[in-house]
Each structure stands twice: as C-alpha cells, then as structure tokens.
Amino acid sequence: MGGNKKYYALPITEVLRLLKASTDGLSEKEAEERLKKFGLNELVEEKESIFLIFLRQFNNPLVYILLAAIGITLYMGDYIDAGIIGGIVLINGLLGFFQEVKARSSLEALKKLTETKTKIIRDGKEKIVAVSQIVPGDIVILAEGDVIPADIRLIESVGLTVDEAILTGESIPSEKDATVTLGENTPIYKRSNILFKGTIVVRGKGKGIVYATGRNTEIGKIAEKTKEKSPESPLNRALKAFSLKWMIILFFILTSIFVLGLVQERDLYKLFLLIISELVSAVPEGLPLVVTFVLVIGAMTLAKRKTLVKHLPSVETLGSATFIVSDKTGTITEGKLKVENFKTTDKDLLFLASALCNDAFDGKGDPLEVALLKWLEKEGFNWKEARNKYERIWEHPFDTKLRLMATINKVNEKNYVLVKGALESLLKLSDDDPEKFLKWHDEMAEKGLRVIAFGYSEMVELPEDISEIKIKLIGLIGFIDPPKKGVKEAVETARRAGIRLLMVTGDNIKTAIAVGKMVSIYDDKDVALHGTDLEKYSDQELYQILKKTSVVARATPEDKYRIVKVLQKNKEIVAVTGDGVNDVPALKVADLGVAMGSGTEAAKEVAKMIITDNNLAVIVDAVKYGRIVAQNIRKVIYYLLSCSFGEIILLTSAFLLKLPLPLYPIQILWINVVTEGVQDKMFSFNKEEKNLMTEKPKRPEKTFFDKKQLFDTIYTAFIMGGINLLLFIYLLEITTYERAVGITFTSLIANQWFNGFQAIKGEPFFKNVYRSFVINPYMYLGVGIGLMLQLSATYIFPDWLHTVPLTLNEWKLVLTTSLLLFFAIEIKKWIEYFLKKVR
C-alpha cells in the first residue's frame, strides 16, 4: 500500500484489492489506524528549530560590533561594563526570540483556519474532511475547481480535465478517463487515469481512490523543486529601500566623526566606543521585529473581521492597494440567482431543456442551475420525473472557452442534444434568424438580468466535437442576482479613498453595466470593455484605457490575468478577488489575492487572504484596517528614528565641542530596552486617528518615508539632542561628570517617553485631550513599565549603568527637558494644523 505500485497499470478491481478498500469507502476506525500509520496528508514544511531561531537573534552585524566592544572592554579591564553589555545583548536577543516564536504561533493558528477541505466517502456516506486527514484507501469525490488532495486512481470520470502544470509544466489541461488501464512504462504526463496531489480540476467531475498521501505523492517527492517563495510585498520593498538609504547616511556620518577624531588625536579607545555608541543608537535594529509585531496584531484583528490572512505582509498591502479587480457574482452580488423573466418559442421544450441540461440536485450545484430547478417547481414542472423518464446518455460539461454546456437525452426514443449557454455561443451553432433572440436578450440585459440561451437538436450519433453540431434556439431565461447589502456604500467609500474598482465578469456587457450602475461602480463617464477588445491594445494603450474603465465583460481567465499584469507593470498595487478556478491565474500574480470563503479550493490555495463573508464591503473594510496598520508602522518608524537620531545629535555635538561623552555605550543599550524595547511595541494597538478612507492611496515608500516624515524626524531629533546637550553642559558646570552623565541618561529616556505620547497622534495632543489618552492606552502602560525599569537602574543598581540616584530637584530637571520637548512638538503640530486650515 502506498505510492510505489503502478496503480495506473492495474484495473480498478485490483487497485481496490491492493488498497484493502471498497467504493463505499473506509470505516472511520480503519481511517484512524491508517492515519497513525501513514501520517498526516501534508507536505511538511521544514520549520526552523527553536534553537536556531534563538541563535539567529545574534546573527547580525550590530551584535558582532557589540561583541567586539565586549572584547575591548574586557581587554581594558572593565569587567562590569563587559558583563552589562553582554547581559543587555542577551536581553535584546531574548525579546526578539520570544516575539518571533509568538508571531509564528499566531500565524500557525490563523493558517489552521484556512485549511482546505475535500469531499470523501466513509462508512458509505459522503462527508467533508480536512485534506490533512485523508489516508490511502479513501474514496474522494471531485468537481470543477477542486484541488486534488492526494494521488488518486480514478474510479469514475465525466468530462474530467485537470491542470497539471505544477507537475508536468504543460499549460494545456490533461483529459482524464477512469476506464483506461495503461502500460507499466507510461510517463507521468500520459497517466490519464491518475490524479496528482496539488493539481486542479478545470472542468468535469470524478471519483477515485487515494493510493498515496503526503511525502509519498509525486508532488511530495519533488516538493523542494515546486516550492515558491511568497512574492516580495510592497512593504518589504519599501523597508529595504529605507534601510539602504539610512545605512549610507550613517556610514558617511560615522566615517566623518572617526576621521575627525583621528585628526584631533582623540583617545582611540574612547573614539571607538563613541562610534559603537552612535551605531547602536542610529540603527533601528528592532524595526523589522516591530513591523512583524504590528502585522501579526493586524492579522489577528482582521481575523475577527471575517478576513483570514495567509501571507503576513498582505495586511499592509491591502491598505496600499490602488486597484481592486473584483469578480461580480458572489462578491458584488448575492450569488443567489432567481429566474426573473423568460422568452421562448416553445415553453414545454424550454422547461424540458432546463431540467435535463442541468447538473443541480436538491438545492446543491451551480447557483444558476439551482435557480432553474426552483423556477421549474414554481411553474409546476416536475423536473425529477423528467430526469427519471428521459435518460442522459452523453454530456459535455460547461466549457469556459465555448461558454456552453450540452447533454444528450433519450426523449421519446430520439436522441435530443440540449444546449445551454451564452447567446453569442449558441448563435454560432444555429442557423436561426438571430434578430428576435438578440432583441429579447437586450431587453433583459438592460434590466440587469443575467441571460442564458437554450437550444436543441435531434441527433443519431454522439458528436465528436460539440462546436460542429447545428441547433435550433428554444428561448432565453433571465436571472437576477441582486447586489449584496452594503456593497454600494463600500464602493462609494473605496472611490473616496482613491481606489479604482474594476469589475471583471464573464457576463454580457449590458448585464455587467446594469449591475455596475446599481452599485455605483459604473457611471456614464466610465468605459466598459468587452473581453475581446483587449487584444486590440498594446500593454501601454490598455493601461491608459483601464484608468477610465470600471467594467470588463465576457472576460476570460487570460483577460483577467493580463489586466493584473498590465496594472502592475505601471506600478499599481493590485488586489484581486475571486472564487473560481478561472480566477486562479490572476489571484496568483496579484500583489494581493483575496479568495472568497465559499469559493473553490483552488482559489483559496493560491490566495494570500481569505474573506469568510463573500462581500466587497468586507474587503473595503479590510482596506481601511490595512491603512491603519500602515499608519501605525509609519508612527513606529518616526518614533524609532527620531529617538535614535536624537541620541546621535547629542553624542556628535558633545564630540565636536570636545566635551566628554554624555552617554556610555551600555546606557544606550539600556535605552533600547527601556524605550525602544518596550514602547515601540505599543504602537501595534493604535486605533484609527482619522478617516483614512478619505485619503488617496500612497505607495509604502511614501507612506513611511515622505518629506513630512523626514522633517518631523529631524525636528524632534534636533530638539531632543539640543535640549539634552544644554542640560549636560549645565550639569558639567555645577556637578561631577558621573552625576552629569547619570542625569542626562535619565533625561534622554524620559524625553523619549514624552516623544511617544506625541507620536501616537498626528494632530496636536491638546486638540482633543480625551482622545489622546484613549487612542492607545497601552502606550502609557509601556511608559509605566519603562519607568519601573529606570527607577531600578537609578536606585537599585546605579553602578551597573554608570548612573546615580537622583534627588527631587534633579527629577525636576528631567521633567523640564521632557516638557520642553513635548511642547516643542505640540507647537509645531498647532502651526501645521492652522496652516492646513488656511490652505
């Protein structure tokens, strides 16, 4: 039992015997035993061990520099300093370690919510189980859009074609046939009676028996070759660009200081410690960790809002989206069709075709086909009796290229070909005068109805090619798919937010426009394209047209894919929504693929985010929260950089004025623990400050590092560094050097706390004092923790950090510098506020 036998070369009876199974499926007891024997049906990711995660916290150039500093201090005989620096490096490493482990656990919990499921037979009954629980011998039932859960030998198949590109590289879907028995040397790409794990059912349906799971599957054997890295998100690209620029600036600053120190013949040991101090101050080594923390909190919050995140950076990507390319049915509309109108030349024959050229049963199946059966019941037509009476002897499942479905049923001893599909498709098979049918079609489409046509033909032999038969048109049926509640308001919100919504649908262009108008996606100034129009334009021409387009009708999966690629080529950030197998190509290449919770497993497999409530309103709400996350990251970056740069200005200014160092390196490391190590994490809990959905989308590099951000950072840094420099100079005149350093050290920490109070809000603190306290209460909790740590350093172990116990008057100095910084920022904010009002 397993993946080594050549099941494709054996008849199905022999396969069942070897796997000790039957078409009624395994018993639950047997399935449990096999699960213990074969393990979970999953390609186990090679997870980094806890120990390696811990070691990795110390695997960066900054830590190497600090280790060198420890070596130098040990050589110089400063054992206490060396021990404290080592201890703080360890504390920083432990903080990073615990936060990363917690982040990984949170993501694993969210991934469990998105686990794919499949339909199987056990104990003779159909049931839905998680793919990971499937074992060899299970009978699996598959339909269009399903991802094959394991390696399977087919037992039954009807019009089954499978996309095996992931395994064979063939872009053309493979036709499958359960009835054939193949030769022992048949290559993988010709095994037409086998379904492989990870491939996708493009059309048709089938049933088969699992013979290999997990690592024993074909895809499991080559798992390393088929792994794809997640595409780099706009956020990661922006952070990389920032890091590079920031490091170049630091290199020039520190090189200049070092050269100047050599020219001034400064003590080499102290000069080296100054360089290390400035480097540790300047590089926000905690930034990636803090950003991850913000994103994890964001992903957990989105999960409560019916949005499950599979790829962490997509939380921020959603907030940066400039285009949402959405399908119509099930996202913008209810997806629950009902027959609204019909036109026919033969009512009885139309009823019969609606019942027989239809795969739905008892409320299950394609929504359009379910709606047909409900309509027939309402009209008093017994569709079950018709199906029992008129046997189906052949079928052609719905074809996405031809846009039709056909069956042959034996009706009164004659073979009737019954066809349903798009009117344009059926007209190609018909010699009827199209004028009447086109008129009926347009009347229905202009009312926003989804229209399908029916036709029939008598046939003696089974057709070889459905596109070559000739039919007579019977009539048209119009369905209404009403817009979902809240979609219109969501569309208007997205418009105000500067996000362009593009509805890409397989529907007729008139139906698509009518629905677009209902939900405010389309107005008379917009362009509506037909899918076939896209071929006329070059990529650049198409981009210019897409900027004015809100509806693309009769679109194929290739059309949707090209639209996404063209937009991305022109630096748009594109979110794509979809639920069907036809959406997979576009979902996969989008900056953010958003699958519907009720969609196909194929769509959910490639998406980076899953919306459990299939509603555009939920997506727009998620965009809003994505922008809140982006703003919180912006505030974290401002806070870390302004504090770090403030330290640089203090140290550099003292050096240029030939003053002794105002801070020891271990004090700067302590600052990272007391402020950056605690307070920066609190930005994750910031609430929305203003209505971000009235602003145009910004590229991440502009969101995080625009001119205002640069000005605010430099302004705060110069005030912070300048105030503490003046304090240090004043203290050197009235007290000892050690006491001056201790007071300046505490002052700088308190300054950074007050900077944090200002950083949580863009508007002036005193414009709405109540809001300033409730927008993020955790910030004040963070300062409380920092205060307790600093009091410990000041009064319990002052010698460890070269500090001194402060008197009440000295605490007043600390409070004075902090308030000066706080009000300097407050005054700047009020000036900006009034200037904005004047404009």
Side-chain angles (χ1 to χ4, degrees):
M1 192 183 295
N4 295 324
K5 292 187 174 64
K6 298 178 178 179
Y7 292 101
Y8 55 86
L10 301 172
I12 194 62
T13 51
E14 181 65 8
V15 173
L16 289 167
R17 187 187 69 78
L18 287 171
L19 292 171
K20 298 178 183 178
S22 74
T23 52
D24 288 333
L26 301 172
S27 67
E28 288 293 347
K29 184 179 178 182
E30 176 65 19
E32 284 180 20
E33 290 177 3
R34 293 191 184 193
L35 188 63
K36 290 175 185 175
K37 180 179 179 181
F38 295 102
L40 293 173
N41 175 37
E42 55 189 19
L43 303 180
V44 180
E45 296 177 25
E46 290 188 8
K47 290 183 181 176
E48 195 175 13
S49 71
I50 296 293
F51 181 65
L52 285 177
I53 292 174
F54 176 71
L55 287 182
R56 187 160 45 74
Q57 307 306 314
F58 307 97
N59 183 24
N60 72 66
L62 289 169
V63 174
Y64 302 154
I65 292 170
L66 292 174
L67 292 175
I70 292 170
I72 292 170
T73 50
L74 284 171
Y75 178 76
M76 299 297 290
D78 296 335
Y79 300 113
I80 293 177
D81 281 10
I84 293 173
I85 292 173
I88 293 179
V89 168
L90 180 64
I91 290 169
N92 272 329
L94 287 170
L95 283 172
F97 167 73
F98 287 122
Q99 288 187 24
E100 188 166 337
V101 169
K102 187 176 179 181
R104 189 168 81 168
S105 300
S106 299
L107 281 175
E108 285 173 356
L110 288 172
K111 281 182 181 178
K112 285 182 181 178
L113 294 175
T114 67
E115 186 175 17
T116 54
K117 294 180 168 54
T118 195
K119 185 186 288 187
I120 65 168
I121 297 175
R122 280 193 188 159
D123 291 320
K125 297 176 183 177
E126 291 184 11
K127 65 181 296 186
I128 304 293
V129 299
V131 165
S132 61
Q133 301 298 306
I134 287 177
V135 296
D138 266 328
I139 304 296
V140 180
I141 299 170
L142 297 158
E144 181 178 321
D146 287 345
V147 176
I148 310 299
D151 283 3
I152 293 170
R153 170 62 160 92
L154 280 168
I155 298 171
E156 298 173 8
S157 61
V158 178
L160 189 63
T161 60
V162 177
D163 179 358
E164 295 183 336
I166 187 175
L167 191 63
T168 66
E170 288 285 339
S171 58
I172 299 171
S174 305
E175 295 184 2
K176 298 294 181 178
D177 185 354
T179 61
V180 300
T181 303
L182 304 169
E184 288 193 7
N185 296 320
T186 304
I188 283 179
Y189 62 89
K190 286 188 177 179
R191 294 177 192 172
S192 56
N193 58 8
I194 297 290
L195 303 179
F196 298 104
K197 180 177 175 65
T199 59
I200 301 166
V201 178
V202 175
R203 73 177 186 214
K205 51 191 176 183
K207 182 163 73 173
I209 182 167
V210 173
Y211 67 83
T213 58
R215 289 185 177 274
N216 294 320
T217 61
E218 290 296 331
I219 205 73
K221 293 171 187 175
I222 56 171
E224 291 305 313
K225 295 178 183 177
T226 58
K227 278 181 183 175
E228 285 186 35
K229 289 183 179 179
S230 296
E232 191 170 38
S233 72
L235 170 62
N236 288 343
R237 291 198 299 268
L239 288 175
K240 276 188 179 180
F242 157 73
S243 298
L244 181 62
K245 291 175 185 175
W246 187 243
M247 290 303 291
I248 290 171
I249 293 168
L250 288 179
F251 176 78
F252 282 111
I253 291 173
L254 298 180
T255 302
S256 301
I257 291 171
F258 189 73
V259 171
L260 187 59
L262 292 176
V263 170
Q264 293 180 350
E265 298 182 346
R266 294 294 185 95
D267 181 272
L268 196 59
Y269 168 68
K270 289 183 179 179
L271 182 60
F272 188 63
L273 284 183
L274 170 67
I275 297 297
I276 293 174
S277 300
E278 295 218 358
L279 191 58
V280 174
S281 298
V283 179
E285 67 272 15
L287 181 58
L289 187 63
V290 178
V291 169
T292 300
F293 190 72
V294 172
L295 292 174
V296 168
I297 297 296
M300 294 169 71
T301 304
L302 282 170
K304 296 174 184 175
R305 298 183 177 207
K306 306 178 182 178
T307 305
L308 306 177
V309 177
K310 292 174 68 181
H311 180 58
L312 197 56
S314 58
V315 176
E316 187 282 327
T317 304
L318 195 58
S320 303
T322 56
F323 268 80
I324 296 177
V325 178
S326 174
D327 56 352
K328 177 179 73 67
T329 306
T331 306
I332 291 170
T333 59
E334 288 283 356
K336 297 176 183 176
L337 296 170
K338 68 173 186 175
V339 175
E340 184 73 5
N341 196 5
F342 70 95
K343 300 281 186 180
T344 183
T345 56
D346 188 330
K347 185 175 178 181
D348 291 338
L349 194 52
L350 180 65
F351 283 3
L352 190 64
S354 300
L356 301 181
C357 189
N358 189 324
D359 286 332
F361 190 83
D362 282 350
K364 296 178 181 178
D366 184 281
L368 183 142
E369 295 185 330
V370 170
L372 280 173
L373 298 185
K374 288 181 179 178
W375 169 65
L376 291 173
E377 290 171 356
K378 190 177 177 182
E379 293 288 333
F381 183 87
N382 191 329
W383 57 270
K384 288 184 180 178
E385 184 181 311
R387 287 186 179 179
N388 290 331
K389 187 175 180 182
Y390 306 122
E391 179 191 0
R392 181 187 291 188
I393 58 175
W394 178 89
E395 69 176 289
H396 181 86
F398 183 76
D399 190 314
T400 56
K401 291 283 188 184
L402 298 177
R403 299 189 58 75
L404 57 79
M405 169 190 177
T407 64
I408 296 180
N409 294 73
K410 194 168 280 296
V411 180
N412 300 329
E413 301 305 317
K414 294 180 181 179
N415 289 343
Y416 269 60
V417 180
L418 302 171
V419 185
K420 79 168 186 289
L423 178 60
E424 296 98 316
S425 300
L426 268 64
L427 284 174
K428 293 175 184 176
L429 307 179
S430 172
D431 292 326
D432 293 339
D433 181 2
E435 188 176 341
K436 175 171 59 177
F437 292 96
L438 287 170
K439 183 182 176 184
W440 286 348
H441 179 279
D442 290 350
E443 287 173 358
M444 292 186 190
E446 283 165 7
K447 294 176 182 175
L449 302 185
R450 183 176 179 184
V451 184
I452 60 167
F454 286 81
Y456 83 104
S457 176
E458 292 184 24
M459 182 164 284
V460 177
E461 296 181 358
L462 299 181
E464 290 186 9
D465 187 347
I466 188 68
S467 63
E468 293 179 2
I469 67 170
K470 288 296 175 185
I471 64 171
K472 291 183 180 179
L473 293 172
I474 307 169
L476 307 177
I477 296 178
F479 302 77
I480 189 168
D481 183 8
K484 287 190 171 181
K485 187 177 180 181
V487 167
K488 185 174 182 179
E489 293 79 6
V491 169
E492 289 167 354
T493 299
R495 278 187 185 277
R496 286 194 298 271
I499 302 167
R500 185 146 193 95
L501 278 156
L502 188 57
M503 185 173 75
V504 180
T505 175
D507 260 345
N508 174 277
I509 197 162
K510 291 189 176 179
T511 304
I513 288 172
V515 172
K517 285 181 176 178
M518 288 182 199
V519 294
S520 298
I521 284 178
Y522 179 88
D523 64 37
D524 294 332
K525 296 176 184 176
D526 290 339
V527 174
L529 290 175
H530 195 286
T532 55
D533 294 338
L534 272 58
E535 298 173 5
K536 302 174 186 175
Y537 306 110
S538 68
D539 284 357
Q540 195 52 42
E541 288 170 338
L542 181 57
Y543 174 63
Q544 296 304 322
I545 292 168
L546 287 174
K547 289 196 289 186
K548 306 170 189 173
T549 301
S550 57
V551 170
V552 180
R554 288 293 188 237
T556 64
E558 292 81 6
D559 293 332
K560 196 169 184 178
Y561 175 89
R562 187 186 172 204
I563 287 168
V564 174
K565 293 297 284 183
V566 166
L567 291 172
Q568 288 176 322
K569 188 177 176 182
N570 288 275
K571 298 185 178 179
E572 302 288 354
I573 296 177
V574 186
V576 172
T577 74
D579 58 1
V581 67
N582 58 318
D583 297 313
V584 167
L587 285 169
K588 199 166 188 177
V589 298
D591 293 293
L592 178 59
V594 183
M596 302 297 107
S598 63
T600 60
E601 296 302 332
K604 287 187 274 188
E605 187 93 356
V606 300
K608 299 182 187 75
M609 195 174 274
I610 297 173
I611 303 292
T612 57
D613 183 347
N614 308 354
N615 194 322
L616 187 68
V618 175
I619 297 169
V620 173
D621 183 59
V623 169
K624 177 182 176 181
Y625 190 74
R627 290 190 174 187
I628 294 172
V629 168
Q631 283 299 306
N632 288 347
I633 293 173
R634 176 187 174 90
K635 290 171 180 176
V636 167
I637 290 170
Y638 157 77
Y639 175 73
L640 290 175
L641 294 190
S642 61
C643 291
S644 296
F645 205 39
E647 293 165 21
I648 287 181
I649 290 167
L650 172 61
L651 293 166
T652 305
S653 300
F655 173 80
L656 293 174
L657 293 172
K658 296 188 177 181
L659 296 172
L661 280 179
L663 293 172
Y664 286 91
I666 57 171
Q667 290 176 330
I668 295 168
L669 287 170
W670 178 257
I671 289 171
N672 289 344
V673 173
V674 173
T675 56
E676 295 173 13
V678 177
Q679 207 167 355
D680 56 7
K681 313 301 183 296
M682 302 305 166
F683 283 93
S684 307
F685 305 102
N686 251 39
K687 297 170 188 170
E688 185 181 14
E689 182 180 349
K690 57 184 176 180
N691 186 1
L692 295 170
M693 296 302 278
T694 59
E695 298 179 356
K696 303 297 179 190
K698 296 177 184 175
R699 297 193 65 76
E701 52 266 34
K702 296 292 184 186
T703 300
F704 305 141
F705 319 115
D706 59 5
K707 289 179 181 176
K708 185 176 187 317
Q709 179 88 314
L710 183 62
F711 175 76
D712 290 346
T713 301
I714 293 172
Y715 175 85
T716 300
F718 269 96
I719 299 292
M720 186 185 298
I723 288 172
N724 284 283
L725 179 66
L726 293 173
L727 173 66
F728 183 61
I729 292 170
Y730 168 72
L731 290 169
L732 286 175
E733 293 177 359
I734 64 168
T735 189
T736 64
Y737 168 67
E738 287 296 326
R739 195 157 199 86
V741 168
I743 297 168
T744 304
F745 169 51
T746 302
S747 170
L748 188 62
I749 287 178
N751 281 197
Q752 294 187 2
W753 293 335
F754 278 77
N755 185 25
F757 298 152
Q758 283 285 8
I760 56 177
K761 272 179 68 181
E763 66 178 11
F765 187 93
F766 291 106
K767 184 174 179 291
N768 186 332
V769 178
Y770 173 74
R771 183 161 181 74
S772 296
F773 283 103
V774 300
I775 193 170
N776 188 353
Y778 294 98
M779 183 60 70
Y780 302 97
L781 174 64
V783 170
I785 294 170
L787 178 61
M788 295 303 294
L789 290 170
Q790 185 60 20
L791 289 173
S792 300
T794 304
Y795 295 104
I796 299 175
F797 44 89
D799 293 341
W800 291 11
L801 292 171
H802 299 284
T803 187
V804 291
L806 270 60
T807 65
L808 182 60
N809 285 332
E810 288 165 345
W811 274 110
K812 287 178 183 178
L813 285 174
V814 169
L815 182 61
T816 301
T817 60
S818 301
L819 289 174
L820 282 172
L821 173 68
F822 181 86
F823 283 105
I825 298 171
E826 183 75 359
I827 290 166
K828 177 186 71 70
K829 285 185 176 182
W830 277 109
I831 292 170
E832 290 172 341
Y833 173 74
F834 285 118
L835 286 175
K836 196 173 182 180
K837 288 196 79 174
V838 170
R839 289 179 199 145

